[in-house]
Coordinates of all heavy atoms in Angstrom, one line a residue:
R1 N 55.9 14.0 -85.2 CA 56.7 14.0 -84.0 C 58.2 14.0 -84.3 O 59.0 14.6 -83.7 CB 56.4 12.8 -83.1 CG 57.2 12.8 -81.7 CD 57.0 11.4 -81.1 NE 55.7 11.1 -80.7 CZ 55.1 11.4 -79.6 NH1 55.7 12.0 -78.6 NH2 53.8 11.0 -79.3
R2 N 58.5 13.2 -85.4 CA 59.9 13.1 -85.8 C 60.3 14.3 -86.6 O 61.4 14.9 -86.4 CB 60.1 11.8 -86.7 CG 59.9 10.5 -85.8 CD 60.4 9.3 -86.6 NE 59.4 9.0 -87.7 CZ 58.3 8.3 -87.6 NH1 58.0 7.7 -86.4 NH2 57.5 8.0 -88.6
T3 N 59.5 14.7 -87.6 CA 59.9 15.8 -88.4 C 59.9 17.2 -87.7 O 60.6 18.1 -88.1 CB 58.9 15.9 -89.7 OG1 57.6 16.1 -89.2 CG2 59.1 14.6 -90.5
L4 N 59.0 17.3 -86.7 CA 58.9 18.6 -86.0 C 60.2 19.0 -85.4 O 60.6 20.1 -85.3 CB 57.8 18.5 -84.9 CG 56.4 18.7 -85.4 CD1 55.4 18.4 -84.3 CD2 56.1 20.2 -85.9
K5 N 61.0 18.0 -84.9 CA 62.2 18.2 -84.2 C 63.3 18.8 -85.1 O 64.2 19.6 -84.7 CB 62.8 16.9 -83.6 CG 61.9 16.3 -82.5 CD 62.5 15.1 -82.0 CE 61.7 14.5 -80.8 NZ 62.3 13.2 -80.3
H6 N 63.2 18.5 -86.4 CA 64.3 18.9 -87.3 C 63.9 19.8 -88.5 O 64.7 20.6 -88.8 CB 65.0 17.6 -87.9 CG 65.4 16.6 -86.8 ND1 66.4 16.8 -86.0 CD2 64.9 15.4 -86.5 CE1 66.5 15.8 -85.1 NE2 65.6 14.9 -85.4
L7 N 62.8 19.5 -89.1 CA 62.5 20.2 -90.3 C 61.4 21.3 -90.2 O 61.4 22.1 -91.1 CB 61.9 19.1 -91.3 CG 62.8 17.9 -91.6 CD1 62.2 16.9 -92.5 CD2 64.1 18.4 -92.2
V8 N 60.6 21.3 -89.2 CA 59.6 22.3 -89.1 C 60.0 23.5 -88.3 O 60.6 23.3 -87.2 CB 58.3 21.6 -88.5 CG1 57.2 22.6 -88.4 CG2 57.9 20.5 -89.4
E9 N 59.6 24.7 -88.7 CA 60.0 25.9 -88.1 C 59.4 25.9 -86.6 O 58.4 25.4 -86.4 CB 59.5 27.1 -88.9 CG 60.1 27.2 -90.3 CD 59.5 28.4 -91.0 OE1 59.5 29.5 -90.4 OE2 59.1 28.2 -92.1
E10 N 60.1 26.6 -85.8 CA 59.7 26.8 -84.4 C 58.3 27.3 -84.2 O 57.6 27.0 -83.3 CB 60.7 27.6 -83.6 CG 60.3 28.0 -82.2 CD 60.2 26.7 -81.3 OE1 60.8 25.7 -81.6 OE2 59.4 26.8 -80.3
K11 N 57.9 28.2 -85.1 CA 56.6 28.8 -85.0 C 55.5 27.8 -85.1 O 54.4 28.0 -84.6 CB 56.4 29.9 -86.1 CG 56.4 29.4 -87.5 CD 56.2 30.6 -88.5 CE 56.2 30.2 -89.9 NZ 56.0 31.3 -90.9
Y12 N 55.7 26.7 -85.9 CA 54.8 25.6 -85.9 C 54.9 24.7 -84.7 O 53.8 24.3 -84.1 CB 54.9 24.8 -87.2 CG 54.7 25.6 -88.5 CD1 55.7 25.9 -89.3 CD2 53.4 26.0 -88.8 CE1 55.5 26.6 -90.5 CE2 53.2 26.7 -90.0 CZ 54.2 27.1 -90.8 OH 54.0 27.8 -91.9
R13 N 56.1 24.4 -84.3 CA 56.3 23.5 -83.2 C 55.6 24.1 -81.9 O 55.0 23.4 -81.1 CB 57.8 23.2 -83.0 CG 58.4 22.4 -84.0 CD 59.8 21.8 -83.4 NE 60.7 22.9 -83.1 CZ 61.6 23.3 -83.9 NH1 61.8 22.8 -85.1 NH2 62.5 24.3 -83.5
S14 N 55.8 25.3 -81.7 CA 55.3 26.0 -80.5 C 53.9 26.3 -80.5 O 53.2 26.5 -79.5 CB 56.1 27.3 -80.3 OG 55.8 28.2 -81.3
G15 N 53.3 26.3 -81.7 CA 51.9 26.7 -81.9 C 51.7 28.2 -82.1 O 50.6 28.7 -82.3
E16 N 52.8 28.9 -82.2 CA 52.8 30.4 -82.4 C 52.1 30.8 -83.7 O 51.2 31.7 -83.7 CB 54.2 30.9 -82.4 CG 54.3 32.4 -82.7 CD 55.7 32.9 -82.9 OE1 56.7 32.1 -82.6 OE2 55.9 34.0 -83.4
A17 N 52.4 30.1 -84.8 CA 51.8 30.4 -86.1 C 50.3 30.2 -86.0 O 49.5 31.0 -86.5 CB 52.4 29.6 -87.2
L18 N 49.9 29.0 -85.4 CA 48.4 28.7 -85.3 C 47.7 29.8 -84.5 O 46.6 30.3 -84.9 CB 48.3 27.3 -84.7 CG 46.8 26.9 -84.4 CD1 46.0 26.8 -85.7 CD2 46.8 25.6 -83.6
V19 N 48.3 30.1 -83.3 CA 47.6 31.0 -82.4 C 47.5 32.4 -83.1 O 46.4 33.1 -83.0 CB 48.4 31.1 -81.1 CG1 47.8 32.3 -80.3 CG2 48.2 29.8 -80.3
K20 N 48.5 32.8 -83.8 CA 48.4 34.1 -84.5 C 47.3 34.1 -85.5 O 46.5 35.1 -85.6 CB 49.8 34.5 -85.1 CG 49.8 35.8 -85.8 CD 51.1 36.2 -86.4 CE 51.1 37.6 -86.9 NZ 50.0 38.0 -87.7
M21 N 47.2 33.1 -86.3 CA 46.2 33.0 -87.3 C 44.8 33.0 -86.7 O 43.9 33.7 -87.1 CB 46.3 31.7 -88.2 CG 45.2 31.6 -89.2 SD 45.5 30.2 -90.3 CE 46.5 31.1 -91.6
L22 N 44.6 32.3 -85.6 CA 43.3 32.2 -84.9 C 43.0 33.6 -84.3 O 41.8 34.1 -84.4 CB 43.3 31.1 -83.8 CG 43.4 29.7 -84.3 CD1 43.6 28.8 -83.1 CD2 42.1 29.3 -85.0
T23 N 43.9 34.2 -83.6 CA 43.6 35.4 -82.8 C 43.4 36.6 -83.8 O 42.6 37.4 -83.5 CB 44.7 35.7 -81.8 OG1 46.0 35.8 -82.5 CG2 44.8 34.7 -80.7
D24 N 44.1 36.6 -84.9 CA 43.9 37.7 -85.8 C 42.5 37.8 -86.3 O 41.8 38.8 -86.4 CB 44.9 37.6 -87.0 CG 46.3 38.0 -86.7 OD1 46.5 38.6 -85.6 OD2 47.2 37.8 -87.5
T25 N 42.0 36.6 -86.7 CA 40.6 36.5 -87.1 C 39.6 36.7 -86.0 O 38.6 37.3 -86.1 CB 40.4 35.2 -87.9 OG1 41.3 35.1 -88.9 CG2 39.0 35.1 -88.4
D26 N 39.9 36.0 -84.8 CA 39.0 36.1 -83.7 C 38.8 37.6 -83.3 O 37.7 38.0 -83.0 CB 39.5 35.3 -82.5 CG 39.3 33.8 -82.6 OD1 38.7 33.4 -83.7 OD2 39.8 33.1 -81.7
N27 N 39.9 38.3 -83.2 CA 39.7 39.7 -82.8 C 38.9 40.5 -83.7 O 38.1 41.4 -83.3 CB 41.1 40.4 -82.8 CG 42.0 39.9 -81.6 OD1 41.4 39.3 -80.7 ND2 43.3 40.0 -81.7
F28 N 38.9 40.3 -85.0 CA 38.1 41.0 -86.0 C 36.7 40.6 -85.9 O 35.7 41.4 -86.0 CB 38.6 40.8 -87.4 CG 38.0 41.7 -88.4 CD1 38.3 43.0 -88.6 CD2 37.0 41.2 -89.3 CE1 37.7 43.8 -89.5 CE2 36.4 42.0 -90.2 CZ 36.7 43.3 -90.3
R29 N 36.4 39.3 -85.7 CA 35.1 38.7 -85.7 C 34.4 38.8 -84.3 O 33.2 38.6 -84.2 CB 35.0 37.3 -86.1 CG 35.4 37.1 -87.6 CD 35.4 35.6 -88.0 NE 35.8 35.5 -89.4 CZ 35.9 34.3 -90.0 NH1 35.7 33.2 -89.4 NH2 36.3 34.3 -91.3
G30 N 35.2 39.1 -83.3 CA 34.6 39.2 -81.9 C 34.3 37.9 -81.3 O 33.3 37.8 -80.6
V31 N 35.1 36.9 -81.6 CA 34.8 35.5 -81.0 C 36.1 35.0 -80.4 O 37.2 35.7 -80.5 CB 34.4 34.5 -82.1 CG1 33.0 35.0 -82.7 CG2 35.4 34.4 -83.2
K32 N 36.0 33.9 -79.7 CA 37.2 33.3 -79.0 C 37.3 31.8 -79.3 O 36.3 31.1 -79.0 CB 37.2 33.6 -77.5 CG 37.3 35.1 -77.1 CD 37.2 35.3 -75.6 CE 38.3 34.6 -74.9 NZ 38.3 35.0 -73.4
F33 N 38.4 31.4 -79.8 CA 38.6 30.0 -80.0 C 38.4 29.1 -78.7 O 37.9 28.0 -78.7 CB 40.0 29.8 -80.6 CG 40.4 28.3 -80.9 CD1 39.7 27.6 -81.9 CD2 41.4 27.7 -80.3 CE1 40.1 26.3 -82.2 CE2 41.8 26.4 -80.6 CZ 41.1 25.7 -81.5
S34 N 38.9 29.7 -77.6 CA 38.8 29.0 -76.3 C 37.4 28.8 -75.8 O 37.1 27.9 -75.0 CB 39.6 29.8 -75.3 OG 39.2 31.1 -75.2
D35 N 36.4 29.6 -76.3 CA 35.0 29.4 -75.9 C 34.4 28.1 -76.5 O 33.5 27.5 -75.9 CB 34.2 30.6 -76.4 CG 34.4 31.8 -75.6 OD1 35.0 31.7 -74.5 OD2 34.0 32.9 -76.0
T36 N 34.9 27.7 -77.7 CA 34.3 26.6 -78.4 C 35.2 25.3 -78.4 O 34.8 24.2 -78.4 CB 34.0 26.9 -79.8 OG1 35.1 27.5 -80.5 CG2 32.8 27.9 -79.9
H37 N 36.6 25.6 -78.4 CA 37.6 24.5 -78.4 C 38.5 24.6 -77.2 O 39.7 24.8 -77.4 CB 38.4 24.6 -79.7 CG 37.6 24.5 -81.0 ND1 36.7 25.5 -81.3 CD2 37.6 23.6 -82.0 CE1 36.2 25.1 -82.5 NE2 36.7 24.0 -82.9
P38 N 38.0 24.6 -76.0 CA 38.8 24.9 -74.8 C 40.1 24.0 -74.6 O 41.1 24.4 -74.3 CB 37.9 24.8 -73.6 CG 36.8 23.9 -74.1 CD 36.6 24.2 -75.6
E39 N 39.9 22.7 -74.9 CA 41.0 21.7 -74.7 C 42.2 22.1 -75.7 O 43.3 22.1 -75.2 CB 40.5 20.3 -74.9 CG 39.4 19.9 -74.0 CD 38.0 20.2 -74.5 OE1 37.9 20.9 -75.6 OE2 37.0 19.7 -73.9
V40 N 41.8 22.3 -77.0 CA 42.9 22.5 -77.9 C 43.5 23.9 -77.7 O 44.7 24.1 -77.8 CB 42.3 22.5 -79.4 CG1 43.4 22.8 -80.4 CG2 41.8 21.1 -79.7
A41 N 42.6 24.9 -77.3 CA 43.1 26.2 -77.0 C 44.2 26.2 -75.9 O 45.2 26.9 -76.0 CB 42.0 27.1 -76.6
K42 N 44.0 25.4 -74.9 CA 44.9 25.3 -73.8 C 46.2 24.7 -74.3 O 47.3 25.2 -73.9 CB 44.3 24.5 -72.6 CG 45.2 24.5 -71.4 CD 44.5 23.7 -70.3 CE 45.4 23.7 -69.0 NZ 44.7 23.0 -67.9
M43 N 46.1 23.6 -75.1 CA 47.3 22.9 -75.5 C 48.2 23.8 -76.4 O 49.4 23.7 -76.4 CB 46.9 21.6 -76.2 CG 46.5 20.5 -75.3 SD 46.1 18.9 -76.1 CE 44.5 19.2 -76.8
V44 N 47.6 24.6 -77.3 CA 48.4 25.3 -78.2 C 48.8 26.7 -77.7 O 49.5 27.5 -78.4 CB 47.7 25.5 -79.6 CG1 47.3 24.1 -80.1 CG2 46.4 26.3 -79.4
G45 N 48.4 27.0 -76.5 CA 48.8 28.3 -75.9 C 48.0 29.5 -76.3 O 48.4 30.7 -76.3

């Protein structure tokens, strides 16, 4: 919570980097993170 404000890139703070990694693989495998992890999927966008 403290380091995110100052030291961590925006792509991590926003969840953008995580979502990109998930969706790139999901699209290739034909699955959806939101089907199995709906709560986390909603929180990270």
